Amino acid sequence: MTETTATDLLALHETMTLIRRTEKAAHDLFLSGLVKGTTHLAAGHEAVAVGTRSALQDGDYAFATYRGHHHAIAWGATPEECLAEFMQRSTGLNKAKGGSMHLTKAEAGMLGSYAIVGAHLPIAVGAAWSARLRKTDQVSVAFFGDGATNIGAFHEALNLASVWKLPVLFVCENNFYMEYTPIASVTGVGNPAADRAPSYGIPAEVIDGNDVVAVRDAVARAAGRARAGDGPTVLEAQTYRHYGHSRTDPAKYRPDGELERWLERDPLTVSAGRLREAGTSDDDIKAAEDRAAAVVDQAVAGAKAAPQADLSEAFTDVWADGGAAWRT
Amino acid sequence: MADVTTAQDVVTYRESVAEGIAREMRRDPSVVCLGEDIGAAGGVFKTTVGLFEEFGPERVWDTPISEQAIVGAAMGAAMTGMRPVAEIMFSDFLACCWDYLANEIPKVRYMTGGQVTVPLVIRTANGGGLGFGAQHSQSVENWALTVPGLKIAAPSTPADVVGLMASAIRSDDPVVFFEHKGLFASKGRPAPDGHVVPFGEAAVLRQGADVTLVALASTVPLALTAADRLAAEGIEAEVLDLRCLIPLDVTAVLRSVERTSRLVVVEENPYQGGWGGTVVSVVADEGFELLDAPVKRVAGANVPLPFADALEDQVIPTVDKVVDAVRSLATY
């Protein structure tokens, strides 16, 4: 078990607030026409990303999905880099070539957000294989949704990780909806990730994905096993998204009262409650939240002021030499 | 097929695959192999014989029948400091992991704004002529050509297998490496020590003033044989082996057409969407005035590959079809 002091917890609460505020800003900027394309907001999922990162070491790898803003920020991407990316600015995290669905902070080990459901699970397995080949003690985390558990790549990834006993953490963010459809109506088991794990010989836990401390503790246990050479773990973190699937989804399919019940267990409410239990004052909590809000306010202003995407970037970065030449 | 072997033609295309990989594994410890039956079994085509014995289980990894996991894991390893060489047993099976070739591997560098590189090789046994039927005989190099962000090599000789393999494994970009099943038993000169064939350099294998034959992999010996037969009729064909599709050496094609003013492309993949279409479109655009006749494409027919030898011959390029195409241009 990782000890979590009140100071640690306050830092986690601040990072989760930073993510929540960034998501709200992204939502508002979309409504004002400054963000185009699509966004898949992670408000409600913050504790999974932040709790996971807090239990890992620098250099550990993360692979995320198109709903990946929270993972990027948890791994050190700044709100301004992210918002600038959404707003197609040259200062964007991916130079405005990726967008909301592909946030990446490679220098921090956050090796991409992938928008083909389930595709990144085998890639995360490969990074874990590489860590073993290079004899480092790095672990590799694949974050994915409940919907990804029904695609072939999920099953191929779990099997290979198991037979090669690789240091991978498969972290499912089960928000109970596969896009617009309840996951229970399209899945043959009750816990879409955790119930599949035993068939691959992988231990699994179902955890409270809205409690950052519960996530942190479970990830610490799984990472410990991985670093000890005991192979992969599946963690199924139950959580809930506050917005719809994507920008165009008002989430009308959700039964009355469901969102409200989940909002009572909002990860920020849960962490604030834990902070108070640990003796942190309301003033200190508010100060942390205000700091996060100020960072995001500044990020919005900074991103708005940044220049639009550099047109020459359309023809860079295809190849490792920086260029795009395909012929002589 | 060109069957004029000499005393110097002592190594097979098949064993040159393992030789090319082994040379790179000796010089670079970050090179690792993975695939189905590639370890102690030496590969179903015996193209990895000796690697497991020389380099051991930490560098030569047998996998489950799990193409997405093979290519996905290769990608993750390539992004984190390794140089994986992944085998997909038959190129038809690339369809099982096509997401990685179409959406993941070629795009991740670009869409992250250059934050990552993917130095990997996907090797695969390609092509027909062996009677394996519709799901084990296709020439699918044109599939890879549809996706910007993949480099594509397809050697025709044992020495080129070694030289192009060196370039492929040393490349910081992802490479799809097509090994032609019909060439595995063919023999040629061994590659000299340190042999490296740079990508994007076509080879002029035969000079001629009357017509340019552009070929790749299996169609290279076929074009050379056709050229011998045409020479007996007084038609001198120049034969170009492209060796790579990306980068595509269209400069070499244009230079040759400048000399010959006639062009026949010989490609095993289907006419519909085949790589010859890209080659001739460049020639039409940039070399229109060099031409004295229409261009011809001798390509696979637009049907699934049939099983029976006689039927297969009907639908893939043959020497007769190349000779006929050239004759039709000579009288134009």
Side-chain angles (χ1 to χ4, degrees):
Chain A
M1 195 72 77
T2 312
E3 196 197 345
T4 305
T5 66
T7 311
D8 295 334
L9 187 53
L10 190 62
L12 302 183
H13 184 77
E14 186 171 332
T15 305
M16 290 196 295
T17 307
L18 196 66
I19 294 167
R20 177 66 57 86
R21 292 276 180 165
T22 303
E23 297 298 64
K24 176 73 166 59
H27 179 79
D28 294 346
L29 289 164
F30 207 114
L31 294 182
S32 66
L34 285 170
V35 172
K36 296 201 167 61
T38 188
T39 53
H40 300 77
L41 301 177
H45 289 220
E46 295 90 346
V48 185
V50 173
T52 300
R53 177 63 188 91
S54 79
L56 297 177
Q57 300 173 0
D58 289 349
D60 288 337
Y61 298 121
F63 294 82
T65 75
Y66 54 83
R67 191 183 314 286
H69 303 173
H70 51 327
H71 307 117
I73 293 172
W75 254 259
T78 66
E80 184 166 339
E81 289 172 323
C82 297
L83 292 168
E85 182 70 19
F86 309 157
M87 292 165 68
Q88 312 182 4
R89 307 298 161 135
S90 64
T91 55
L93 191 57
N94 299 22
K95 300 197 287 193
K97 294 163 81 166
S100 160
M101 295 199 283
H102 301 300
L103 294 183
T104 302
K105 186 79 174 175
E107 65 186 30
M110 198 281 179
L111 291 182
S113 304
Y114 297 82
I116 307 295
V117 171
H120 60 301
L121 275 71
I123 304 169
V125 168
W129 179 48
S130 160
R132 174 168 158 185
L133 292 167
R134 291 180 288 107
K135 301 185 175 22
T136 72
D137 72 344
Q138 292 162 292
V139 304
S140 177
V141 184
F143 294 101
F144 54 97
D146 42 280
T149 65
N150 291 323
I151 203 160
F154 167 86
H155 297 269
E156 293 195 20
L158 263 64
N159 185 58
L160 193 68
S162 177
V163 294
W164 287 2
K165 256 191 161 178
L166 297 175
V168 195
L169 276 56
F170 296 103
V171 179
C172 176
E173 296 181 15
N174 180 4
N175 63 23
F176 299 94
Y177 286 90
M178 179 219 82
E179 304 201 356
Y180 303 2
T181 302
I183 191 67
S185 70
V186 291
T187 306
V189 292
N191 299 304
D195 289 353
R196 264 71 173 262
S199 64
Y200 297 105
I202 299 178
E205 287 187 60
V206 177
I207 61 174
D208 181 353
N210 281 13
D211 180 353
V212 71
V213 176
V215 173
R216 176 177 160 96
D217 289 346
V219 170
R221 287 190 294 274
R225 279 196 296 276
R227 290 192 222 282
D230 294 335
T233 300
V234 170
L235 297 176
E236 182 171 325
Q238 296 184 332
T239 186
Y240 199 77
R241 59 170 147 76
H242 294 174
Y243 297 99
H245 167 70
S246 64
R247 180 61 206 98
T248 51
D249 172 25
K252 294 213 163 120
Y253 43 81
R254 303 202 283 211
D256 285 348
E258 185 178 87
L259 173 62
E260 289 69 24
R261 283 195 300 282
W262 276 96
L263 286 175
E264 289 168 13
R265 300 214 65 257
D266 182 320
L268 292 172
T269 307
V270 173
S271 59
R274 278 189 174 272
L275 280 165
R276 286 189 200 96
E277 276 172 29
T280 307
S281 71
D282 284 351
D283 284 350
D284 284 349
I285 296 171
K286 185 169 184 308
E289 292 172 346
D290 287 348
R291 281 194 299 274
V295 168
V296 175
D297 286 347
Q298 249 183 347
V300 171
K304 279 182 175 171
Q308 294 289 332
D310 180 344
L311 297 186
S312 69
E313 286 292 348
F315 297 99
T316 67
D317 299 328
V318 174
W319 308 122
D321 69 6
W326 64 277
R327 53 164 285 191
T328 57
Chain B
M1 295 278 170
D3 50 5
V4 194
T5 51
T6 72
Q8 293 158 312
D9 294 335
V10 294
V11 297
T12 63
Y13 186 103
R14 182 195 315 281
E15 63 201 9
S16 298
V17 174
E19 172 67 14
I21 298 168
R23 288 186 184 189
E24 294 309 303
M25 291 182 81
R26 286 175 202 133
R27 68 183 285 280
D28 182 351
S30 71
V31 180
V32 289
C33 297
L34 74 165
E36 298 158 15
D37 296 326
I38 68 161
V44 299
F45 293 108
K46 301 297 173 199
T47 47
T48 55
V49 168
L51 297 181
F52 184 81
E53 289 72 15
E54 180 174 351
F55 300 103
E58 281 294 303
R59 299 195 57 197
V60 183
W61 291 67
D62 276 326
T63 67
I65 298 174
S66 203
E67 280 81 11
Q68 296 189 74
I70 293 168
V71 175
M75 176 177 169
M79 291 166 68
T80 54
M82 303 303 294
R83 289 186 179 270
V85 179
E87 177 176 308
I88 295 298
M89 189 183 291
F90 283 79
S91 62
D92 313 70
F93 308 165
L94 289 173
C96 302
C97 52
W98 193 244
D99 178 47
Y100 292 88
L101 282 94
N103 290 319
E104 315 299 339
I105 290 166
K107 294 182 171 55
V108 70
R109 178 173 173 78
Y110 187 86
M111 72 189 189
T112 63
Q115 293 185 56
V116 296
T117 54
V118 195
L120 62 77
V121 179
I122 299 168
R123 302 172 35 240
T124 191
N126 192 44
L130 298 180
F132 286 163
Q135 297 180 338
H136 289 70
S137 301
Q138 296 171 85
S139 282
V140 302
E141 63 275 13
N142 60 324
W143 292 2
L145 187 61
T146 61
V147 186
L150 298 173
K151 291 193 170 167
I152 306 167
S156 71
T157 68
D160 277 0
V161 167
V162 172
L164 287 169
M165 187 71 78
S167 286
I169 293 175
R170 295 177 199 184
S171 166
D172 288 333
D173 298 310
V175 176
V176 188
F177 196 93
F178 289 99
E179 297 159 9
H180 200 282
K181 293 194 288 289
L183 297 176
F184 279 141
S186 66
K187 288 186 172 176
R189 295 180 187 191
D193 285 347
H195 187 51
V196 179
V197 175
F199 273 21
E201 288 188 13
V204 179
L205 297 183
R206 177 192 175 110
Q207 293 186 321
D210 299 328
V211 61
T212 298
L213 299 180
V214 173
L216 182 78
S218 66
T219 69
V220 171
L222 198 145
L224 288 169
T225 304
D228 283 346
R229 208 189 288 173
L230 289 160
E233 302 176 15
I235 300 170
E236 291 300 332
E238 182 147 300
V239 177
L240 246 69
D241 179 355
L242 284 177
R243 306 201 282 198
C244 289
L245 291 180
I246 299 289
L248 185 63
D249 192 1
V250 282
T251 304
V253 177
L254 287 163
R255 276 203 202 110
S256 179
V257 173
E258 198 169 11
R259 291 189 289 270
T260 64
S261 71
R262 284 174 170 78
L263 173 64
V264 176
V265 177
V266 192
E267 54 190 311
E268 191 177 313
N269 60 195
Y271 187 92
Q272 63 179 61
W275 56 260
T278 300
V279 172
V280 301
S281 76
V282 173
V283 173
D285 185 359
E286 298 170 27
F288 184 72
E289 290 171 359
L290 305 174
L291 291 165
D292 285 339
V295 295
K296 291 281 181 194
R297 292 175 58 204
V298 178
N302 297 327
V303 298
L305 272 290
F307 161 65
D309 292 339
L311 295 178
E312 199 177 23
D313 276 353
Q314 292 293 303
V315 304
I316 62 176
T318 60
V319 172
D320 285 345
K321 292 176 195 173
V322 177
V323 169
D324 287 348
V326 172
R327 280 193 194 124
S328 75
L329 290 188
T331 56
Y332 181 83

